[in-house]
Amino acid sequence: MKIVKTLASALLASVALATTSMACEVTLKSSDTHPDGYPTVEAVKHMGKLLEERTDGRLCVEVFHSAQLGQEKDTIEQTKFGVIDLNRVSTGPFNNLVEETKVISLPYVFKSVDHMHTVMDGPIGDEILEAFVPHGYVGLAFFDGGSRSFYNKVKPIKSIDDLAGMKVRVMQSDIFVDMMTALGANATPMPYGEVYSAIQTGVIDGAENNWPSFESSGHYEVAGYYTLDQHLIVPEVLVMSKISWDKLSADDQAAVRQAARDSVPVMRDLWVAREKASEEKVRAAGVEIVEEIDKAPFMAAMDSVYEKHVTSDKLKDLVSRIRATD
Ligand code: GTR
């Protein structure tokens, strides 16, 4: 009896598999460092549903969440080689590869999240998406990453002076290393997935991120002080491997691009809700939050970062156009 049951379920499973692969001629493999349910993961799943409907099931997307395919820097490389088709990452780890992404990773370059939306939804956003192509990626859409602030396990940061000598993890980009140096701290670039245990064991004192990442990563469990200095508003990006892209017909390419664009408003709604829920969870856990902080000295300290990184005419022009956008 047991054997019959096992055989029957094996048969059912193979029928299910066959149905899936018959329905989807091409299943695009998509990477995300965040867990299932996180706004970026859900937005790419939504994009996949739209694509499946609009191509009569020819194109599907499978999202590998929770860094199943690796940490961001490694997945960015694998995407270039077409091992991964789609990748949702912060634009930070792209800074050393695609020069134009540097301008949207600069501290305090955006006045607010609304300002970031206006810039990224307009011609500057399109120009930066285009800039990925010569490097082996097709930029499809920008997602939200809220604003990032400092957290640590040692003490509440109430001014720049409190950061002096602190070991703070940053994303792997020279801009963020220089940002921490300018603030008098010791920058430790490391992959996101290593941050929890690095704080726990004291390898670093803290890191920086938005509410949803601070919460979903569990970093708030080991870093009890969060200061809302909002030094970075870094958009996130969904890219496709140019190798995978070139295998698609022009119609399918257009469908991918449109589905990605249509996932943006969905992502933004999910983001607003998740920010609120994460904030509530972190506050309820007893994390000490420094709400009011004079940002002026933090902003003034960033002059050296701009001087070092905004050197070409192209980047200077982009920065001044971002600043001139209302
Ligand atoms: C998150 C972002 C991730 C990753 C992470 C990090 O806010 O969504 O893509 O970049 O930060 O700090 O590495």
Side-chain angles (χ1 to χ4, degrees):
M1 187 59 192
K2 201 165 171 225
I3 295 174
V4 174
K5 261 196 183 160
T6 317
L7 275 178
S9 51
L11 197 67
L12 271 179
S14 65
V15 169
L17 268 180
T19 318
T20 323
S21 54
M22 247 163 37
C24 302
E25 257 168 53
V26 177
T27 298
L28 302 170
K29 208 175 181 185
S30 188
S31 173
D32 200 309
T33 196
H34 291 302
D36 205 19
Y38 197 91
T40 52
V41 172
E42 295 308 309
V44 179
K45 281 192 201 165
H46 179 78
M47 174 205 166
K49 271 197 209 119
L50 294 178
L51 201 55
E52 198 173 335
E53 276 163 28
R54 293 172 184 176
T55 61
D56 296 322
R58 218 174 36 257
L59 292 184
C60 301
V61 173
E62 188 174 0
V63 182
F64 292 81
H65 54 78
S66 313
Q68 290 172 71
L69 303 180
Q71 298 294 320
E72 287 191 351
K73 239 180 140 224
D74 300 330
T75 60
I76 285 175
E77 210 162 290
Q78 290 181 50
T79 307
K80 189 181 174 91
F81 296 119
V83 179
I84 295 173
D85 305 301
L86 290 165
N87 203 352
R88 195 295 312 162
V89 289
S90 167
T91 49
F94 261 115
N95 290 170
N96 298 348
L97 278 176
V98 181
E99 196 196 10
E100 289 81 350
T101 64
K102 279 180 151 194
V103 297
I104 50 175
S105 291
L106 288 164
Y108 299 110
V109 75
F110 296 112
K111 288 172 249 178
S112 61
V113 170
D114 281 347
H115 181 224
M116 182 272 282
H117 285 162
T118 311
V119 172
M120 303 321 285
D121 291 346
I124 299 176
D126 289 342
E127 211 172 304
I128 299 176
L129 284 179
E130 264 307 300
F132 283 88
V133 176
H135 304 278
Y137 308 88
V138 177
L140 294 176
F142 288 110
F143 287 163
D144 279 37
S147 54
R148 299 173 71 108
S149 292
F150 292 113
Y151 49 82
N152 76 94
K153 68 187 292 189
V154 186
K155 61 179 176 195
I157 295 164
K158 296 183 175 161
S159 72
I160 289 193
D161 296 346
D162 292 322
L163 274 166
M166 236 187 223
K167 284 175 281 171
V168 181
R169 176 270 175 175
V170 288
M171 287 188 279
Q172 290 148 297
S173 156
D174 297 342
I175 290 189
F176 306 136
V177 173
D178 293 329
M179 171 183 81
M180 294 320 300
T181 310
L183 292 171
N186 294 323
T188 310
M190 70 167 67
Y192 188 52
E194 291 173 20
V195 179
Y196 188 101
S197 64
I199 299 178
Q200 197 174 34
T201 56
V203 170
I204 51 173
D205 299 313
E208 46 84 56
N209 224 312
N210 51 50
W211 285 109
S213 292
F214 184 37
E215 174 265 312
S216 64
S217 60
H219 294 174
Y220 72 99
E221 296 162 3
V222 286
Y225 303 102
Y226 193 32
T227 294
L228 305 182
D229 61 280
Q230 302 176 320
H231 53 274
L232 289 175
I233 296 177
V234 186
E236 322 226 313
V237 68
L238 177 66
V239 294
M240 184 158 179
S241 167
K242 182 79 170 47
I243 293 179
S244 312
W245 178 260
D246 288 340
K247 289 182 190 155
L248 301 180
S249 67
D251 281 354
D252 283 351
Q253 287 176 347
V256 168
R257 205 181 277 284
Q258 194 55 47
R261 290 200 171 220
D262 292 343
S263 72
V264 173
V266 173
M267 195 279 162
R268 286 186 184 162
D269 286 349
L270 291 170
W271 182 261
V272 172
R274 181 61 181 248
E275 261 193 328
K276 200 164 166 280
S278 296
E279 176 174 349
E280 278 166 13
K281 192 167 168 187
V282 168
R283 284 185 190 273
V287 170
E288 189 176 325
I289 320 276
V290 178
E291 320 248 358
E292 297 299 327
I293 179 145
D294 181 10
K295 292 181 192 165
F298 285 78
M299 289 179 183
M302 294 306 134
D303 286 353
S304 60
V305 180
Y306 279 71
E307 267 159 37
K308 184 167 169 193
H309 292 278
V310 188
T311 45
S312 67
D313 288 345
K314 195 199 302 168
L315 298 196
K316 282 182 189 158
D317 174 57
L318 277 168
V319 170
S320 58
R321 278 160 59 212
I322 290 177
R323 292 214 157 128
T325 305
D326 285 328

